[in-house]
Amino acid sequence: MTNEMKTIHVRPARPEDAPALCAFLNEIIAIGGTTAHQTPFTPESFVAHYLAGPGFVSCFVAEDEAGEPCAFQALDQWDGIPQDWADIGTFSRPDNKVPGAGTALFNATCDFARSIGLKALNATIRADNVSGLSYYGKMGFVDYKVDKAVPLKDGQLVDRISKRYVLEDG
């Protein structure tokens, strides 16, 4: 039995990726429980939020063996975090996941973040998002803050856990 590791191609996201990325992000939103997003995106609103917004830092895409986007990871900056930090979000299509895509994306994101002088990454995850908490823990993020009982659109209260990853040089 062989455990063949596949090479995952990671590249910067482009506006033409928006329909595919938007489709699986909207599927994640519809499933519920794993993203703070509650309103579906259009390709235009996806580009405005993830590829061209005022806080935009980066967005990388992982492709499957057919060259189709299977996951993406974005960095942005906003007033709620230190100036030399960025907020990270990671999304993978719900079906037919590509093992290792999250790690490949994280490596590319960290390399880019270091290259522009960022000192840390922040991930704020819903407390009920077990897979997200596990992923960021596996990547080396550590808890530093909990926002208790943040209301969702339907009134449900969910804690949000903020995790920090300190970027070391090289």
Side-chain angles (χ1 to χ4, degrees), residues 103-115:
T103 300
L105 283 168
F106 189 64
N107 290 337
T109 295
C110 286
D111 287 347
F112 180 79
R114 286 184 195 99
S115 79

Side-chain angles (χ1 to χ4, degrees), residues 5 33 76 98 100 147 157 165:
M5 189 66 162
D76 68 347
V98 175
D147 293 317
L157 301 177
Y165 181 86

Side-chain angles (χ1 to χ4, degrees), residues 13-35:
R14 303 181 291 251
E16 57 267 26
D17 296 320
L21 301 178
C22 185
F24 70 73
L25 178 55
N26 287 343
E27 188 177 350
I28 293 166
I29 293 168
I31 292 167
T34 61
T35 179

Side-chain angles (χ1 to χ4, degrees), residues 146-152 156-160:
V146 176
D147 293 317
K148 294 285 192 186
V150 177
L152 301 177
Q156 178 185 355
L157 301 177
V158 179
D159 292 352
R160 303 260 169 111

Side-chain angles (χ1 to χ4, degrees), residues 84-160:
D84 58 355
W85 289 30
D87 198 55
I88 189 169
T90 308
F91 304 91
S92 180
R93 65 185 177 205
D95 298 317
N96 197 19
K97 291 187 185 291
V98 175
T103 300
L105 283 168
F106 189 64
N107 290 337
T109 295
C110 286
D111 287 347
F112 180 79
R114 286 184 195 99
S115 79
I116 62 169
L118 293 178
K119 300 298 180 204
L121 303 177
N122 172 75
T124 300
I125 307 126
R126 288 173 47 157
D128 58 350
N129 181 353
V130 176
S131 64
L133 292 168
S134 175
Y135 168 74
Y136 288 109
K138 178 182 166 192
M139 295 299 109
F141 283 74
V142 296
D143 295 5
Y144 74 93
K145 180 176 84 166
V146 176
D147 293 317
K148 294 285 192 186
V150 177
L152 301 177
K153 276 183 7 180
D154 66 3
Q156 178 185 355
L157 301 177
V158 179
D159 292 352
R160 303 260 169 111

